[in-house]
Amino acid sequence: MQLDRVVPFGRSLDEYRTMFSLSHDDLDKEIVGVADGPASFNAEMQALGKRVISVDPLYAFRPAEIEQRFHAVVDGIMRQVKETPDDWVWTFHQSPDQLRERRVQALTRFLTDYERGTTDGRYVIGELPRLDFSDAQFELALCSHFLFLYSDHFSYAFHRAAFFEMLRIAEEVRVFPLLTLALKPSPYSHAASSEPRSRQLCP
Ligand SMILES: C[S@@+](CC[C@H](N)C(=O)[O-])C[C@H]1O[C@@H](n2cnc3c(N)ncnc32)[C@H](O)[C@@H]1O
C-alpha cells in the first residue's frame, strides 16, 4: 500500500474491540482514543453509555470537509487493495467491497455524532507528540492505524516522543498494528523494546 499522507479512514467499536483485545472491564475505563479520526468507536461507546475522548488533528475540520477528504481517497485505496488481494486477511472483512462498505458505515456513524460529541468535549483537536491532557488523566490510551503504520512518514524520534506522551496521560497504552504500510514489521518496534527498562515501550 502506498499513501502520500495519513488517510481519514475509521473503524467500528467491533474492530477496536478486536484490535485492542478490549474486555468488558476495559470498556468501563477512562479511555482516550488517540488519532481516532472518523472512527465510530466513540459514537458507539457513547450509545452504550460509556465515555471516550477522541483526539485527532482532523477535528479542526467541519463534517462536510471530513466527508470530502474520505471520498477523495477511498477509491484509490480500494483499487490498491483489489490489486493485491493476497496481501490481506479476509476473515474479519470478507471482501474489498465489504471493507469499503464498513469504512463508509463507520464514517457515517461518526458524522452523526460529531457535532454533539464536539460540544460534549468528546472530539478534541490535538496531535502527537504533544497532547493537552493532564498526567494520568486516563486509564487507557488506544492508538490504531497511525503509529508504526506510517513509519516511512514519521521518524523514530517522533514515535518515541508520541509513546512517552501517551504514557504520560494514561496508565496503559495499546497500539495497533505494529506493521508498516508495506506490511512489514516497523523498524521502530525493535528500537522501542530496547528502551531503558524503567521506561520500556513494549510492542
Ligand atoms: C488511518 S486513520 C485511523 C483512525 C482510527 N484510529 C481508526 O483506526 O479507525 C489515522 C488518523 O491519524 C490522524 N493523525 C495524523 N497525524 C496525527 C498526529 N500527529 N497525531 C494524532 N493523530 C494524527 C489522522 O488525522 C487520521 O484520522
Side-chain angles (χ1 to χ4, degrees), residues 89-102:
V89 178
W90 297 106
T91 47
F92 194 91
H93 308 294
Q94 311 291 311
S95 68
D97 289 337
Q98 187 185 55
L99 170 64
R100 186 188 200 285
E101 191 183 310
R102 288 181 172 169

Side-chain angles (χ1 to χ4, degrees), residues 6-12 16 19 34-40 55-58 126-129 131 143-146 149-150 154 158:
V6 182
V7 299
F9 267 27
R11 291 163 186 80
S12 64
Y16 267 61
M19 290 187 294
V34 181
D36 261 356
S40 58
V55 56
D56 196 298
L58 190 71
E127 60 186 318
L128 290 167
L131 299 174
C143 184
S144 110
H145 292 82
F146 175 55
L149 189 64
Y150 291 89
F154 295 91
F158 174 88

Side-chain angles (χ1 to χ4, degrees), residues 42-44 46 51-55 59 63 109-125:
N42 193 324
E44 292 183 74
Q46 172 74 7
R51 185 175 165 85
V52 172
I53 292 184
S54 297
V55 56
Y59 305 147
R109 185 78 179 82
F110 159 79
L111 288 172
T112 59
D113 182 54
Y114 183 47
E115 285 187 88
R116 187 174 150 213
T118 301
T119 309
D120 288 352
R122 288 186 289 110
Y123 295 111
V124 176
I125 303 167

Side-chain angles (χ1 to χ4, degrees), residues 34-173:
V34 181
D36 261 356
S40 58
F41 173 60
N42 193 324
E44 292 183 74
M45 286 286 276
Q46 172 74 7
L48 294 176
K50 302 177 192 299
R51 185 175 165 85
V52 172
I53 292 184
S54 297
V55 56
D56 196 298
L58 190 71
Y59 305 147
F61 295 94
R62 290 193 296 270
E65 293 171 314
I66 294 176
E67 200 171 7
Q68 190 223 328
R69 282 171 159 245
F70 174 89
H71 286 291
V73 296
V74 65
D75 288 337
I77 291 173
M78 287 307 152
R79 192 168 50 247
Q80 288 194 56
V81 171
K82 283 183 176 175
E83 284 168 4
T84 56
D86 296 340
D87 283 355
W88 312 93
V89 178
W90 297 106
T91 47
F92 194 91
H93 308 294
Q94 311 291 311
S95 68
D97 289 337
Q98 187 185 55
L99 170 64
R100 186 188 200 285
E101 191 183 310
R102 288 181 172 169
R103 290 291 163 267
V104 172
Q105 278 170 2
L107 173 73
T108 307
R109 185 78 179 82
F110 159 79
L111 288 172
T112 59
D113 182 54
Y114 183 47
E115 285 187 88
R116 187 174 150 213
T118 301
T119 309
D120 288 352
R122 288 186 289 110
Y123 295 111
V124 176
I125 303 167
E127 60 186 318
L128 290 167
R130 283 279 163 269
L131 299 174
D132 196 11
F133 298 116
S134 316
D135 293 357
Q137 183 172 333
F138 302 96
E139 291 174 280
L140 183 57
L142 306 175
C143 184
S144 110
H145 292 82
F146 175 55
L147 292 173
F148 291 133
L149 189 64
Y150 291 89
S151 293
D152 287 347
H153 300 65
F154 295 91
S155 67
Y156 178 64
F158 174 88
H159 279 71
R160 188 177 187 279
F163 266 95
F164 283 121
E165 182 65 350
M166 290 192 293
L167 286 167
R168 180 186 70 75
I169 64 165
E171 290 165 21
E172 182 184 350
V173 174

